[in-house]
Amino acid sequence: MITASDIFAISSQKQFEKIALKVFRFQYENNLIYQEFCNYLKTDPHKVKSLQQIPFLPIQFFKSHQVVSNTNPIQETFTSSGTTGMITSKHLVTDITLYEESYRKGFSEFYGNIEDYVVLALLPSYLEREGSSLIYMVKDLIELSNHPESGFYLHNHDELIAKLIALDEAGQNVILIGVTFALLDLIEKHKFQLQHTIIMETGGMKGKRKEMIREELHEQLCKGFGVSAIHSEYGMTELLSQAYSLGNGVFECPSWIQILVRDTEDALTYIQDGKTGGINVIDLANINSCSFIATQDLGKKNPNNSFEVLGRFDNSDIRGCNLMVL
């Protein structure tokens, strides 16, 4: 039996691989969708001895199937955002404490004690719908900060501008977590010169603005907020963990997540560090759903295990994955 303490106490590559292989065998035996997918690929679980031999479930399965690895009651259902009529992903969570432990430990690893910050959130597109895992996390971080100034903002930009200026002038450490389009809207209303504030973008124009390359986006945000770097969070509905970038779009993972980069022409082949391919994520906090996910993100891995996200596949480009949808 794999426990939360096994997952969150990983301290070496050898330990990670050992637990990941245990999780693979557990999920093969207990997750019928994943088992069927592995069988389709003619994977013999007894012969899987390395991370590279583990099949990665295409992320689209969270739209079409119930991806669960036990029969416990569903405590939370996280859903992805989407336009009207679009099929959204559903992540059925049977143990919400795993999610809470994952994001709390992950945040602490990169930023230290949450009580050292005022946490401000500008997440209009997420706040205006049900089932967002990001809102669940940020709401909890706001409460854990134990600061009366922490809170959510929707479209009340003037109030947020005044709050940011006042807190920064008082020397208070602040983290402003914002969806990309809303951060751009904010700096169009006011140009800041912030000294004590971390700007963390969570990605996403949500159809509100044209997509921009990261360098251009971060340059605009740095100028608008008067900061030297823009932080980013890499997370998604289908994952119970996050990677963080402290600047320059280079993400690092907590010890229970790892990234592999697959060939864009052959989803079962991996490419060397520094080359662009499809991002596969091992998230061991996903013990009760599926820990091995082939995302639709393009990126590259660096020799020190950090990674960069460079864009997304067009649906027409997902050659290896769409052949394998059951």
Side-chain angles (χ1 to χ4, degrees), residues 6-19:
D6 294 328
I7 291 165
F8 297 120
I10 289 171
S11 59
S12 70
Q13 180 62 21
K14 190 175 176 184
Q15 206 179 1
F16 182 91
E17 290 181 15
K18 184 180 175 185
I19 292 173

Side-chain angles (χ1 to χ4, degrees), residues 144-207:
L144 290 170
S145 74
N146 206 19
H147 202 293
E149 301 284 6
S150 293
F152 283 101
Y153 288 80
L154 195 55
H155 301 294
N156 44 340
H157 287 170
D158 291 339
E159 194 181 327
L160 176 56
I161 289 165
K163 173 82 46 108
L164 279 168
I165 292 168
L167 289 169
D168 203 72
E169 286 178 351
Q172 171 65 52
N173 291 328
V174 174
I175 293 185
L176 172 60
I177 302 172
V179 64
T180 306
F181 77 83
L183 292 174
L184 289 168
D185 288 348
L186 191 66
I187 59 173
E188 281 182 2
K189 289 200 79 170
H190 186 85
K191 292 285 184 284
F192 297 88
Q193 282 298 323
L194 300 173
Q195 304 291 316
H196 306 282
T197 302
I198 291 170
I199 307 299
M200 184 188 294
E201 56 102 358
T202 65
M205 292 300 188
K206 307 296 176 194

Side-chain angles (χ1 to χ4, degrees), residues 7 10-22 51 254-259 282-284 292:
I7 291 165
I10 289 171
S11 59
S12 70
Q13 180 62 21
K14 190 175 176 184
Q15 206 179 1
F16 182 91
E17 290 181 15
K18 184 180 175 185
I19 292 173
L21 289 166
K22 270 191 186 176
L51 301 183
S255 60
W256 56 92
I257 313 182
Q258 285 193 15
I259 301 294
I282 302 174
D283 180 2
L284 298 179
F292 311 98

Side-chain angles (χ1 to χ4, degrees), residues 64-183:
S64 53
H65 297 79
Q66 294 200 336
V67 183
V68 285
S69 293
N70 59 37
T71 55
N72 297 342
I74 306 301
Q75 294 181 356
E76 291 283 341
T77 299
F78 292 132
T79 57
S80 61
S81 53
T83 54
T84 307
M86 197 179 189
I87 299 170
T88 56
S89 288
K90 283 187 170 60
H91 193 166
L92 306 176
V93 180
T94 59
D95 182 359
I96 196 64
T97 64
L98 272 170
Y99 183 45
E100 292 169 348
E101 189 166 359
S102 175
Y103 66 67
R104 288 171 184 173
K105 282 185 182 295
F107 181 91
S108 170
E109 193 172 308
F110 289 95
Y111 294 99
N113 189 342
I114 186 67
E115 291 191 4
D116 293 339
Y117 299 92
V118 168
V119 180
L120 303 178
L122 183 60
L123 300 165
S125 55
Y126 294 93
L127 267 181
E128 293 163 313
R129 67 176 184 84
E130 294 290 313
S132 165
S133 56
L134 178 63
I135 293 297
Y136 188 101
M137 175 180 84
V138 174
K139 182 173 182 288
D140 190 48
L141 292 177
I142 285 170
E143 288 169 6
L144 290 170
S145 74
N146 206 19
H147 202 293
E149 301 284 6
S150 293
F152 283 101
Y153 288 80
L154 195 55
H155 301 294
N156 44 340
H157 287 170
D158 291 339
E159 194 181 327
L160 176 56
I161 289 165
K163 173 82 46 108
L164 279 168
I165 292 168
L167 289 169
D168 203 72
E169 286 178 351
Q172 171 65 52
N173 291 328
V174 174
I175 293 185
L176 172 60
I177 302 172
V179 64
T180 306
F181 77 83
L183 292 174

